[in-house]
Each structure stands twice: as structure tokens, then as C-alpha cells.
Amino acid sequence: MRLKDKIAVVTGGGQGIGRATARMFAREGAKVVIAARTEARLERVKKEIEEEGGEALAVPTDVRREEDVKRLMEATRERFGGLDVLVNNAGVGPVAPVDGMDMAEYDRLMDTNLRGMYLGCRLGVPMMKAAGRGSIINMSSVHGVQGSPLHTAYAATKSGIIGCTRALAAELAPFRIRANAISPGAIWLEAYEARWLEQIRKEEGEAFMRLFGEAMKDDHQYFQPLEMVGMPDDIAHCAVYLASDESRFVTGQNIVVDGGVTTHLSPYALEGAREKMQVSMEKVRAWIEEHKEE
């Protein structure tokens, strides 16, 4: 087991990349503390880990709130005695024109993505310093590396995460604490299905997923040169590497896991990508129009 007996905190652990990372960490032998705002999702992931023979603690946490993050770290210390790996994964991603985002939404974005990461580090690092080791993994995005319309505020947070990670690596190196970032590309998440399903009548949801579930997922392959669907486990594998002793000489890096999307100036530079996506989505939208929620 690559993470045997390591103690790991994963924020945003109730779904998507956080859920996949927490479960994979546990399979690799880590004791996992999962944090998120929604208690029901946390309990689901905790149960999944325990059913696979792993050990997990679920702590409801709003990473924007210092008292919540402090409670998270105290619960980790009390249950497991320390902290070896911190995955700052919690984040939100609203998109809007630079002159169209509500400032309350802007503040929520900044507080979750940047303040949340900073609080995790601020309150988690003391335990790592005491142990004389540690690995911090901050979740950024390809939007922190290259520009994209409607992502100005979001890109600011993700670029900030990369910059903060590099500074952390330099600051914490004397304590044998490493800090690295991961920048995912187009990853299929459960939330995407929910956004489609909320547009149609509840009784039609099963039929919709039967007809279009795989097609919608497959559309993600057209965002990048590798014609395959990026999944949360693809990011979790990278996180396992950075959490493990295999990466003992790796710090201050931003690892882009994107199927090659950042090799192009635009995802639609790929021949026929836009046309393939449009044909598929037109079928989906036509079906929704016939079955939409009144």
C-alpha cells in the first residue's frame, strides 16, 4: 500500500474529485478525514470507504470559516494523532462575463477557492511541522494556466493557487513539507448530470439517463487531443503519487492532468471537435424540450 498509515485530510470530499481521492487514499492504506459542507454526502463517502475496509472520519466543514477549519484539524489530531497529507480540493466555479458577475458571487468564489485553501494550510501546517514531514496538494485547474472566456474570476483563484503553492514549497522545505498543485482539465462530475436532470420532469430522469447518459459523458472527450473521458479517478491517481513517498523529491510543481487540452490555444482547435459536440448536444436539447419541467 502506497499510503499505509498516512493521515490525510481531503476537503470537498463529498463528491467528484474529492470523493475519488478520499476513496483511493483509503484503498492505499491512508486514514482519511473527509470534509465538506453537506453532511449526507460525507456520510455516503465514509460508508463507501468503510465498506471497502478503510478507515475514515467525516467532519462537516465550510472551508470559508476559520472556526470550521480549526475544528476539522482538531478532530483530525484527536482521532488520528497528526496530519501527513492535506488535499485542499474544496472549490466552486461560477462563470460569468467580467462585467456580469454579482459581487456576492465573486466573494463566495474567492473565499472558497483561495481563503479556504489558505486556511487549510495555515491550520494544518503546524501538525506537519511537529512531525517534521508532510505533503500539501492544492487543486488548481487548467484555467489557472491558460485563459478562457467567462472565467476571469475563476482563473484568478486558480492562478493564485499555483502561485501560493510555489511560495509554500519554498517556505516549508526546511520542515520537509512538500507543496504541489494539480490542474485538472475537463473531468466528468456527478454535478453535470444533476444540471441536465433539473431541466426535465423527475419521472423522465431515468429515461433521459438511459438515452443520453453515456453520450453526455463521451462529449468530454472532444475537449482535448486524447479522445477519452477524464474521470475523477484520473486526478486521484496523481494525488496518490504526490501524497506518497514516491514523490519525496517533488515540490513546488503544478501537474497538469488534462488529456492534452493545454497543448492547444483553444479546445476547438481540434479538427471537428465543435461539430461533434454540437450534433450530440442538439439531440439532447431536443429531447429536453419535449420533456422539460413546466
Side-chain angles (χ1 to χ4, degrees), residues 225-243:
L226 285 177
E227 289 201 4
M228 60 179 66
V229 183
M231 301 298 289
D233 275 359
D234 293 314
I235 308 304
H237 283 297
C238 184
V240 167
Y241 167 70
L242 291 174

Side-chain angles (χ1 to χ4, degrees), residues 102-113:
D102 181 84
M103 289 309 296
E105 188 73 350
Y106 176 88
D107 290 340
R108 183 177 78 94
L109 177 62
M110 294 293 162
D111 285 349
T112 305
N113 294 6

Side-chain angles (χ1 to χ4, degrees), residues 35-56:
R37 287 181 297 173
T38 307
E39 190 167 358
R41 289 174 178 169
L42 286 178
E43 290 302 323
R44 177 189 66 168
V45 180
K46 181 176 182 288
K47 183 179 179 181
E48 290 170 345
I49 289 172
E50 291 174 342
E51 287 177 346
E52 293 179 342
E55 190 171 358

